C-alpha cells in the first residue's frame, strides 16, 4: 500500500472511492435516492477542483495494482475562523479495504502535514450515525458542537470535533 500526495490524474479514482464509499458508509443514514444519484463524473470534476486548490492537501492510498482504494484531504473550511487551525475534511476507503490500517495511515499523513504547517487545532465534522466518529474519539478528538444539516431531503445531526494537540495524536499513531 502506497500513501502519496494526489495529482490531477487521480481525480477519477478519488471520485470512484468517494461515490462508492458514500454508498456503503451512509446506507440507511442518507436517503437511498440521494446515494443512488451520486455521479462519478460530477465527483471527478469536484476532485479536479479540490486537488488544484492552493491550500488543499489531498492524499491517496494506492494498492499494489496502482488503483486508488482510499483518500483523505484537509483544508480550512470557510466557517473555520479559529487562528492557526485547519480541518480534516474527509477520509474515505472502499469497503473491502476497511479495517486494514489504511485509514490510520491516511490519518497520520494528514496530521504530519498539520504539524509541519504549525497548526494548533484541527477540526472534523462527522455525521452522528457515522461510526468513524469512534475512530476520531479514539485518537483524542473532543466533541465541541452539534449542528443540524440537510442532505437530500433528510435532516441529520453533524458532530464537530476538535483536536488541540497534534503531537499527542501523532504519538498515538
Amino acid at each position: 500500500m502506497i500513501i502519496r500526495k494526489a495529482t490531477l490524474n487521480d481525480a477519477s479514482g478519488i471520485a470512484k472511492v468517494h461515490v462508492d464509499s458514500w454508498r456503503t458508509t451512509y446506507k440507511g443514514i442518507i436517503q437511498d435516492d440521494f446515494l443512488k444519484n451520486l455521479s462519478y463524473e460530477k465527483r471527478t470534476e469536484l476532485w479536479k477542483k479540490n486537488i488544484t486548490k492552493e491550500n488543499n492537501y489531498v492524499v491517496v492510498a494506492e494498492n499494489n495494482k496502482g488503483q486508488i482504494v482510499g483518500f483523505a484531504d484537509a483544508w480550512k473550511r470557510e466557517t473555520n475562523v479559529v487562528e492557526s487551525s485547519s480541518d480534516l475534511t474527509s477520509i474515505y476507503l472502499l469497503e473491502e479495504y476497511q479495517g486494514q490500517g489504511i485509514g490510520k495511515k491516511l490519518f497520520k499523513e494528514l496530521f504530519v502535514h498539520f504539524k509541519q504547517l504549525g497548526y494548533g487545532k484541527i477540526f472534523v465534522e462527522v455525521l452522528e450515525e457515522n461510526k468513524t466518529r469512534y475512530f476520531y474519539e479514539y485518537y483524542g478528538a473532543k466533541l465541541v458542537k452539534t449542528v443540524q444539516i440537510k442532505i437530500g431531503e433528510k435532516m441529520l445531526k453533524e458532530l464537530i470535533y476538535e483536536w488541540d494537540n497534534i503531537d499527542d495524536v501523532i504519538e498515538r499513531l
Side-chain angles (χ1 to χ4, degrees):
M1 192 63 55
I2 297 169
I3 307 295
R4 62 172 175 78
K5 190 169 187 218
T7 68
L8 201 52
N9 292 335
D10 295 323
S12 63
I14 294 170
K16 182 172 181 356
V17 172
H18 199 178
V19 169
D20 292 352
S21 64
W22 264 57
R23 288 179 177 157
T24 56
T25 301
Y26 299 122
K27 184 177 175 76
I29 299 171
I30 295 174
Q31 293 171 292
D32 289 341
D33 284 352
F34 183 90
L35 295 173
K36 188 172 69 173
N37 288 321
L38 292 173
S39 159
Y40 294 126
E41 294 78 20
K42 286 181 184 172
R43 294 291 162 138
T44 297
E45 291 308 309
L46 169 75
W47 283 103
K48 284 179 182 177
K49 289 177 190 167
N50 286 346
I51 291 167
T52 58
K53 281 185 184 172
E54 184 180 341
N55 294 320
N56 287 14
Y57 186 66
V58 183
V59 292
V60 296
E62 195 177 78
N63 67 14
N64 58 5
K65 295 177 185 173
Q67 300 164 316
I68 294 173
V69 300
F71 71 90
D73 72 318
W75 47 279
K76 188 166 184 162
R77 296 181 193 275
E78 290 177 14
T79 56
N80 180 348
V81 295
V82 177
E83 254 186 72
S84 187
S85 72
S86 190
D87 295 272
L88 186 165
T89 45
S90 62
I91 296 180
Y92 288 106
L93 295 169
L94 293 174
E95 188 174 46
E96 60 268 30
Y97 287 90
Q98 294 174 8
Q100 300 176 28
I102 301 165
K104 185 175 171 180
K105 288 178 183 177
L106 289 166
F107 184 73
K108 183 175 184 177
E109 182 67 27
L110 293 184
F111 271 81
V112 168
H113 172 74
F114 294 143
K115 181 175 174 63
Q116 290 169 344
L117 293 177
Y119 291 129
K121 290 183 187 282
I122 304 301
F123 298 93
V124 66
E125 299 173 2
V126 60
L127 292 178
E128 183 178 51
E129 295 180 60
N130 183 343
K131 291 178 178 63
T132 303
R133 68 185 266 211
Y134 302 115
F135 174 85
Y136 298 142
E137 289 171 2
Y138 178 80
Y139 286 102
K142 304 288 187 244
L143 180 64
V144 293
K145 189 175 181 182
T146 301
V147 297
Q148 294 282 326
I149 64 166
K150 188 175 184 178
I151 299 179
E153 297 300 316
K154 189 173 180 184
M155 292 301 294
L156 299 164
K157 281 187 183 176
E158 184 172 62
L159 308 177
I160 302 171
Y161 286 92
E162 169 190 294
W163 289 275
D164 60 8
N165 190 322
I166 292 169
D167 288 330
D168 282 354
V169 176
I170 293 171
E171 282 179 31
R172 292 190 75 181
L173 291 164

